[in-house]
Amino acid sequence: MKLSLSVKLVAGCSLILLGALSLTFYIINERQERLILRQAENEARAVFQQIVIMRRWIADHGGVFVEKLPWAQSSPFLTDPEIVDGQSRHYARKTPAMVTKELADYARDEGLYWFHITSLKLTNPENLPDAFEREALLKFEQESLGEIIAKETVAGSTFLRYISPLYVEEACLGCHGGQDYEIGDVRGAISVTLPLSKVFAEAAANKRTMFVAMLLVVATLSGALIYLLRRLVLSPMKQLSTSIQGFSESRYRTGPILRTGDEFEDLSRSFEAMAGRLIQYHEGLEGKIRAATEELAAANRELSLASERKSDFLMRAAHELRTPLTSINGAMEYLTARLSGSQPAPAAPALAADQDELRDFFQIIQKNTDRLIRMVRTMLDIEHIEMGAETALNRASVDLAQVIQECITGFAFDAATRKVRLCTLPAQLPRVLADEDRIRQVLINLLANAVKFAPENSTIQVCAAPVGSLVRVEVCDEGPGIPPEHRQKVFETFFRSGGKEGSGLGLAICRAIVRAHGGEIGVADAKKGKGTCMYFTLPTTSAHPQ
């Protein structure tokens, strides 16, 4: 789906802004929750300190007497639980624990918070610790902790639980001296419970408000961005696009420059200048192209005519030369056979010498005649392959490894005669689509050159390996080598490096055959630093889908 630049830009900026605000919202939310918990912890500590101070004051005064309410019962744990004044009013004695318990009931009724005095050594069964308090009391006795704070959720409501130990003081021994306490022991603890559901509900409402505000901010900024983008970017860009489109369709005419006062105005000026120069250059170039086209057409006609004349000359020359040369060759063979079969008479030694000289002469003529015939055939092969590469080849799936091995076997005797070792590096080769006879001709030519120029007691190495969709074959000897400046020229017709013997046509026809197969032939660097390494490549059958 194709999206416009404005949609991409606005969507990208909105997503980035939304992500940044979401991260900020998350951090603020986490920090707010931590602040709520910290504030609740401080509030619980303050309540605990108030209770401790109150208990200490009551303990220091040996308890307090308050007017006894009609429904109140005197404590059964005190020896003097109440007194009566002169007006017959009853006053009940309240210990620190009793005052703490009654204040806790008042606080619970108000729903603000509640606290509970508890101990592992109970005097009053109502002070029985719950699971949180029991675990905290055990930790106070074992680990000497100063306080324990936890957050609990009960029946869908969240509470902060705070508990801190109470230590035995001298004023406490009056009531608890019989429980084997010593000053400084953990007498019990006071737990303070603060409800947090209401606070968290307000925090959740703040979250929703902040979330809505975040969405409003994103929507507002996105709208402003769309407006500014269309006014400041898209509108000038559309005008430039129209001008460029008209220029590409050859219907552009110089027009007014955009007056935006920014980079678009600079771009418009640059485009106007470029368009003017291109129009002038195009007008001049058309004339040059017409003149060059006419010259090229004339040169092409001349080249075609020259090529036709050359091909016609070669074909006619080969045809004209082949018939007489073949006749001469037949005559020389006949005369040589006759002279070889005649026996000179004993009385005529001069006649025998003349016959030997004449026979040698005819053998030289026959040898040169054979060489001329081979040259003519080679020239015809080169011309035939270059003029009709596809029709000149009889392509088929060929086992190149087998062809290489057969060629090496065919040169085994010549190599042994010259005291040269032939070796091949075995490899798994894919089949190639080629004319087997032509490829065999290439291999024979390369091996013949290698055996001819290899010194005695040297090695000729033939290796082949797949390279991508090609097979690369190398024939490397340890002979005198080919100078770098002659590596390309050795494949030219009649070129002979360093005055070496030969017709100069063998490598030329090898190049024509390999190129007709869609391969490459050349001279590579010698592997041992000396000698000649000839290579050629052939496409595999997989490179020619049927």
Side-chain angles (χ1 to χ4, degrees):
M1 181 175 62
K2 185 177 180 181
L3 299 177
S4 63
L5 176 63
S6 60
V7 174
K8 294 178 182 178
L9 184 59
V10 172
C13 293
S14 299
L15 289 176
I16 294 173
L17 182 60
L18 189 61
L21 290 177
S22 298
L23 179 61
T24 304
F25 176 76
Y26 173 79
I27 294 173
I28 293 175
N29 178 48
E30 291 295 319
R31 187 172 182 84
Q32 183 182 21
E33 185 172 345
R34 286 197 297 270
L35 288 175
I36 290 173
L37 293 176
R38 196 170 301 157
Q39 183 178 0
E41 291 171 6
N42 292 333
E43 185 177 348
R45 290 189 187 98
V47 172
F48 174 80
Q49 293 297 332
Q50 286 289 100
I51 297 172
V52 170
I53 292 173
M54 178 198 67
R55 287 172 55 82
R56 185 177 296 127
W57 182 83
I58 295 174
D60 290 342
H61 290 79
V64 295
F65 288 89
V66 297
E67 186 175 359
K68 184 179 180 183
L69 298 176
W71 59 84
Q73 299 292 330
S74 298
S75 174
F77 304 104
L78 300 176
T79 55
D80 49 351
E82 61 179 66
I83 60 176
V84 181
D85 62 4
Q87 298 178 354
S88 300
R89 287 183 297 188
H90 292 261
Y91 293 90
R93 184 183 179 188
K94 301 292 184 180
T95 63
M98 296 170 65
V99 174
T100 301
K101 181 179 179 304
E102 291 183 11
L103 290 178
D105 293 337
Y106 272 84
R108 181 183 292 272
D109 293 339
E110 293 293 332
L112 300 175
Y113 59 85
W114 54 89
F115 48 87
H116 182 227
I117 184 171
T118 184
S119 175
L120 294 176
K121 296 180 181 180
L122 295 174
T123 301
N124 187 348
E126 295 181 359
N127 297 334
L128 181 69
D130 57 18
F132 168 76
E133 294 169 340
R134 178 176 295 278
E135 183 179 357
L137 288 170
L138 292 175
K139 288 184 178 180
F140 290 149
E141 292 182 354
Q142 297 170 2
E143 303 177 17
S144 301
L145 298 177
E147 63 181 13
I148 293 177
I149 302 173
K151 188 172 69 169
E152 291 184 352
T153 301
V154 179
S157 299
T158 304
F159 301 91
L160 178 75
R161 300 295 304 274
Y162 176 90
I163 186 169
S164 185
L166 296 174
Y167 298 99
V168 176
E169 300 177 359
E170 185 175 356
C172 301
L173 296 177
C175 297
H176 302 283
Q179 293 178 307
D180 298 329
Y181 283 116
E182 296 181 0
I183 296 176
D185 291 344
V186 177
R187 165 69 186 91
I190 294 178
S191 68
V192 180
T193 303
L194 298 178
L196 300 177
S197 297
K198 184 177 180 180
V199 179
F200 280 130
E202 294 177 356
N206 290 335
K207 292 179 189 178
R208 291 190 292 271
T209 302
M210 291 177 61
F211 182 74
V212 173
M214 178 183 68
L215 295 180
L216 290 176
V217 169
V218 172
T220 302
L221 291 179
S222 299
L225 184 61
I226 292 174
Y227 173 77
L228 294 176
L229 184 65
R230 289 182 175 177
R231 184 175 182 84
L232 301 179
V233 177
L234 296 182
S235 180
M237 185 181 295
K238 186 175 181 180
Q239 296 182 40
L240 280 176
S241 177
T242 302
S243 299
I244 294 173
Q245 183 69 24
F247 182 79
S248 65
E249 296 176 357
S250 301
R251 52 181 177 82
Y252 175 77
R253 294 294 180 268
T254 57
I257 297 175
L258 295 177
R259 302 296 180 181
T260 57
D262 52 19
E263 288 80 359
F264 279 107
E265 182 173 340
D266 297 337
L267 184 60
S268 177
R269 292 181 183 276
S270 300
F271 175 74
E272 292 291 337
M274 178 200 71
R277 289 193 297 269
L278 285 177
I279 291 174
Q280 294 177 359
Y281 178 76
H282 182 265
E283 292 174 351
L285 187 62
E286 285 182 347
K288 294 180 180 179
I289 291 175
R290 284 193 296 269
T293 303
E294 293 175 357
E295 293 178 1
L296 183 60
N300 189 38
R301 288 192 296 270
E302 293 178 1
L303 181 61
S304 299
L305 183 60
S307 178
E308 291 176 1
R309 286 198 299 265
K310 181 205 74 168
S311 300
D312 183 64
F313 168 77
L314 289 176
M315 295 293 291
R316 286 187 289 107
H319 178 74
E320 295 296 332
L321 288 174
R322 180 183 299 178
T323 301
L325 288 176
T326 302
S327 301
I328 293 173
N329 182 58
M332 294 303 102
E333 287 179 355
Y334 175 77
L335 291 175
T336 302
R338 290 292 301 273
L339 289 175
S340 297
S342 63
Q343 298 294 330
L351 181 60
D354 290 341
Q355 288 179 349
D356 290 339
E357 182 180 0
L358 189 60
R359 182 172 56 250
D360 292 340
F361 176 74
F362 280 119
Q363 287 176 352
I364 293 173
I365 293 176
Q366 181 180 358
K367 181 179 179 181
N368 284 276
T369 303
D370 291 338
R371 181 170 179 268
L372 286 173
I373 292 174
R374 288 195 302 271
M375 289 179 61
V376 171
R377 289 176 178 172
T378 302
M379 291 172 61
L380 288 175
D381 285 341
I382 294 175
E383 188 68 18
H384 187 54
I385 293 173
E386 289 182 346
M387 290 182 63
E390 291 298 329
T391 59
L393 299 178
N394 185 18
R395 295 180 185 268
S397 179
V398 177
D399 185 353
L400 186 59
Q402 181 179 351
V403 174
I404 294 173
Q405 192 59 48
E406 291 175 357
C407 291
I408 291 175
T409 303
F411 275 90
F413 179 77
D414 291 344
T417 303
R418 290 178 172 269
K419 298 181 181 180
V420 175
R421 293 183 299 276
L422 283 174
C423 69
T424 180
L425 299 179
Q428 291 293 114
L429 298 180
R431 300 182 72 88
V432 297
L433 188 66
D435 187 329
E436 182 175 345
D437 292 337
R438 294 294 187 180
I439 299 303
R440 193 182 298 272
Q441 184 179 355
V442 173
L443 284 168
I444 290 174
N445 201 316
L446 296 183
L447 285 170
N449 287 341
V451 172
K452 181 188 299 184
F453 297 112
E456 292 185 357
N457 300 320
S458 64
T459 301
I460 296 175
Q461 189 179 73
V462 181
C463 57
V467 181
S469 61
L470 301 173
V471 175
R472 180 183 174 104
V473 182
E474 294 182 354
V475 179
C476 302
D477 60 51
E478 298 176 5
I482 299 174
E485 63 272 15
H486 291 168
R487 289 186 177 182
Q488 294 297 327
K489 294 182 179 180
V490 293
F491 297 102
E492 296 177 1
T493 308
F494 301 115
F495 179 83
R496 290 180 290 181
S497 177
K500 295 179 180 178
E501 61 179 1
S503 64
L505 295 175
L507 292 179
I509 194 170
C510 288
R511 180 177 65 174
I513 292 173
V514 172
R515 285 184 175 179
H517 282 82
E520 178 186 359
I521 189 169
V523 183
D525 293 332
K527 296 184 178 180
K528 297 183 179 179
K530 63 179 181 178
T532 302
C533 186
M534 307 290 292
Y535 75 91
F536 67 92
T537 61
L538 293 173
T540 62
T541 54
S542 62
H544 294 274
Q546 299 298 324

